Amino acid sequence: MAKVKTAFFCQSCGGQSPKWMGQCPSCKQWNTLVEEVIQKEEKTAWSTASSSGGVKRVSKPLRVKEIDSTEEIRMNTLDGELNRVLGGGIVPGSMILLGGEPGIGKSTLLLQISLKLPYKTLYVSGEESQKQIKMRAERINPSSENCYILTETNTQNIFRQIEAIEPDVLIIDSIQTLHTDYIESSAGSISQIKETTAELIKFAKETNTPVIIIGHITKDGNIAGPKILEHMVDTVLQFEGDRNHVYRILRSLKNRFGSTAELGIYEMQGNGLREVSNPSEILISHKEEELSGTAISATLEGMRTLMVEIQALVSTAVYGTPQRSATGYNLKRLNMILAVLEKRAGFRLGAKDVFLNITGGISVDDPAIDLAVVAAILSSNEDLAVPKEFCFAGEVGLSGEIRPINRVDQRIQEAEKLGFTSMFVSKYNKISYKGTGIKIILVSKIEDVVDYLFE
């Protein structure tokens, strides 16, 4: 029997060291090295050599012009939002990692997709029993002929079932629950995650079968396990949202087969996740009467334009010290805008409470919503409503000027499509779009906006 070998792995970056040290030599973090057993048998976990008569073709170098450049045929997931984020569908043989907070809907999303796919799908769960998954499947899509459910955590047993079923798509929920017989450490450890992921990648590339795995995240929001996990896979998806709201955002952090600027939006319902094709209508509240303190802004999330509603409340500070509160918006940027309004526009807001909220439970870091924030704050301060046919897109500078923003034509088209009649943008923007149903109001400083809205 081979001698049992151990090594020390960093819990932060996954770096390996032959002996314990107080500081990790790779990431310089202190007290992160943990001893793990690394004994490994000589045979591999997955190989197609046995199924091909012991003959395995060896790859050889080719000139660039000799490589086949035909575009890979993608697998349609029948989910428009997921197709958009992946760049058109699932690429055969690809490895996709999906991360997100506990209870956000990762398992629901992948089970819903596996029940909808027109391909033979094997859904492997190491966290739930078959009866639990059956209960959720009945709620989402009770009639599916192509989805197989397996509850197993040992990769060798999983590969035996794969050989028997021969699925077109493999889904693993989750990678932290898997373990292989060739590593003598507990499931979820760094060495187990690296080894089981390597086995799945080998299977995916040799059989041209796409593999989707779920990964847990840490309290910092990063995917748990070594950072090398994200480098090993082809695509990293992040599923995020507020559990107190029904909307979820699927965004791509890494994609070898498409853009990382796309995002998908879902609405959580009792029977699963519903695709939201036009999120702007959801993020804008529909009200009969006009109320002060609200303004609509055209913002960008990846490649998509969203119309979001900014709500502000300005009131006299009761306790002497004014409060500043922002939900979905950077509080430091709010303080900066209030200082600009006080210094450049003459509004006395230093002794008033200011509360800001972006509806829909989303967070926006696009500086183009600054102008809508200004309009909402001044509307609440003056108690005069901004007409609901107006929208805003502009960045506010420290001297009170309205700075130009990127992709302004795309924002104008979205505003026109949703029925807005007027849009405030910086006069320094170069606008090529000639919309007939919307009036473009060019402003250069905050005073121009104030004069137009409140005088």
Side-chain angles (χ1 to χ4, degrees):
M1 182 176 178
K3 182 181 178 181
V4 176
K5 296 181 180 179
T6 63
F8 292 84
F9 291 91
C10 174
Q11 298 294 304
S12 178
C13 69
Q16 182 177 346
S17 175
K19 62 180 181 179
W20 185 88
M21 290 183 286
Q23 185 185 44
C24 173
S26 301
C27 66
K28 308 302 180 185
Q29 296 290 321
W30 290 92
N31 298 323
T32 58
L33 293 180
V34 176
E35 185 178 18
E36 293 182 7
V37 179
I38 60 170
Q39 179 185 358
K40 184 177 178 181
E41 297 182 20
E42 293 300 320
K43 60 182 180 180
T44 57
W46 172 263
S47 176
T48 55
S50 58
S51 60
S52 58
V55 179
K56 186 177 179 181
R57 189 175 64 183
V58 178
S59 60
K60 63 178 182 179
L62 296 173
R63 295 187 182 93
V64 174
K65 63 180 181 180
E66 296 175 347
I67 300 174
D68 184 13
S69 61
T70 55
E71 188 174 346
E72 188 75 54
I73 299 176
R74 295 177 182 257
M75 304 170 71
N76 184 9
T77 64
L78 301 182
D79 186 306
E81 299 298 299
L82 180 61
N83 284 344
R84 177 190 289 110
V85 175
L86 292 176
I90 300 176
V91 175
S94 63
M95 190 81 171
I96 301 170
L97 173 63
L98 174 66
E101 292 184 0
I104 206 69
K106 303 184 298 296
S107 300
T108 301
L109 175 65
L110 291 189
L111 180 60
Q112 179 174 310
I113 291 169
S114 62
L115 293 171
K116 191 189 299 184
L117 279 172
Y119 309 99
K120 186 187 292 185
T121 306
L122 177 61
Y123 185 97
V124 181
S125 176
E127 299 181 341
E128 297 176 293
S129 66
Q130 289 178 322
K131 289 186 177 180
Q132 287 177 300
I133 300 173
K134 168 71 171 177
M135 291 169 59
R136 192 189 306 144
E138 289 284 347
R139 191 175 74 248
I140 296 173
N141 184 7
S143 58
S144 176
E145 301 293 331
N146 298 318
C147 182
Y148 294 81
I149 305 297
L150 173 66
T151 54
E152 181 60 65
T153 58
N154 185 281
T155 55
Q156 282 66 46
N157 296 336
I158 292 172
F159 287 132
R160 291 192 193 100
Q161 299 301 323
I162 289 174
E163 289 180 355
I165 297 176
E166 296 183 351
D168 299 318
V169 180
L170 175 64
I171 297 176
I172 304 292
D173 181 13
S174 64
I175 190 65
Q176 275 80 10
T177 62
L178 297 191
H179 66 91
T180 176
D181 292 337
Y182 307 136
I183 296 289
E184 296 182 7
S185 60
S186 60
S189 63
I190 288 177
S191 54
Q192 283 284 8
I193 292 176
K194 289 168 64 176
E195 181 65 23
T196 53
T197 303
E199 291 178 3
L200 290 170
I201 290 176
K202 184 179 177 67
F203 160 74
K205 303 305 178 185
E206 291 188 0
T207 63
N208 211 30
T209 303
V211 178
I212 306 175
I213 60 177
I214 290 178
H216 297 166
I217 67 168
T218 63
K219 62 181 180 180
D220 298 326
N222 301 317
I223 295 177
K227 193 67 177 177
I228 193 173
L229 176 63
E230 298 180 40
H231 294 288
M232 294 169 71
V233 300
D234 299 311
T235 304
V236 180
L237 304 179
Q238 185 83 9
F239 201 44
E240 57 192 44
D242 189 346
R243 279 186 287 179
N244 297 321
H245 292 81
V246 296
Y247 306 116
R248 304 286 188 268
I249 293 178
L250 180 67
R251 64 176 80 243
S252 174
L253 305 181
K254 170 190 175 183
N255 193 353
R256 288 176 177 160
F257 311 110
S259 171
T260 57
E262 292 286 1
L263 83 160
I265 300 180
Y266 294 88
E267 180 183 4
M268 178 65 80
Q269 296 181 338
N271 59 349
L273 292 158
R274 183 183 72 85
E275 303 170 43
V276 179
S277 57
N278 189 4
S280 298
E281 293 183 354
I282 296 173
L283 299 174
I284 299 174
S285 59
H286 301 281
K287 49 188 178 293
E288 297 297 329
E289 57 181 324
E290 294 185 350
L291 302 173
S292 63
T294 62
I296 309 298
S297 177
T299 182
L300 288 176
E301 277 286 344
M303 297 295 291
R304 299 181 78 173
T305 306
L306 306 180
M307 307 300 291
V308 297
E309 181 178 337
I310 315 294
Q311 295 179 336
L313 176 63
V314 180
S315 63
T316 304
V318 179
Y319 301 106
T321 303
Q323 301 181 64
R324 304 283 188 260
S325 175
T327 304
Y329 188 70
N330 192 320
L331 183 58
K332 292 182 178 179
R333 193 158 188 88
L334 173 61
N335 290 328
M336 182 207 79
I337 289 178
L338 293 175
V340 171
L341 288 174
E342 182 120 6
K343 176 76 173 179
R344 303 295 181 186
F347 288 92
R348 302 302 174 198
L349 301 172
K352 295 186 177 181
D353 294 337
V354 179
F355 304 94
L356 193 76
N357 176 47
I358 297 179
T359 60
I362 68 170
S363 297
V364 179
D365 55 5
D366 184 5
I369 71 170
D370 289 351
L371 195 55
V373 171
V374 167
I377 291 173
L378 297 183
S379 171
S380 178
N381 185 58
E382 301 294 324
D383 202 18
L384 293 173
V386 175
K388 58 184 179 181
E389 298 83 12
F390 288 7
C391 64
F392 304 84
E395 180 183 354
V396 176
L398 288 178
S399 60
E401 82 278 13
I402 310 301
R403 299 174 57 83
I405 55 174
N406 63 337
R407 307 226 300 270
V408 65
D409 292 329
Q410 186 177 340
R411 301 174 198 254
I412 294 173
Q413 290 180 45
E414 180 72 13
E416 183 181 11
K417 186 172 68 175
L418 292 176
F420 291 93
T421 59
S422 299
M423 185 169 183
F424 290 78
V425 298
S426 172
K427 78 172 190 177
Y428 305 111
N429 263 114
K430 296 180 179 178
I431 302 172
S432 58
Y433 178 69
K434 306 297 182 183
T436 57
I438 189 168
K439 178 183 177 183
I440 307 300
I441 302 172
L442 301 177
V443 290
S444 61
K445 52 186 184 298
I446 291 178
E447 292 90 322
D448 299 342
V449 182
V450 175
D451 293 342
Y452 198 97
L453 290 177
F454 307 113
E455 291 187 5

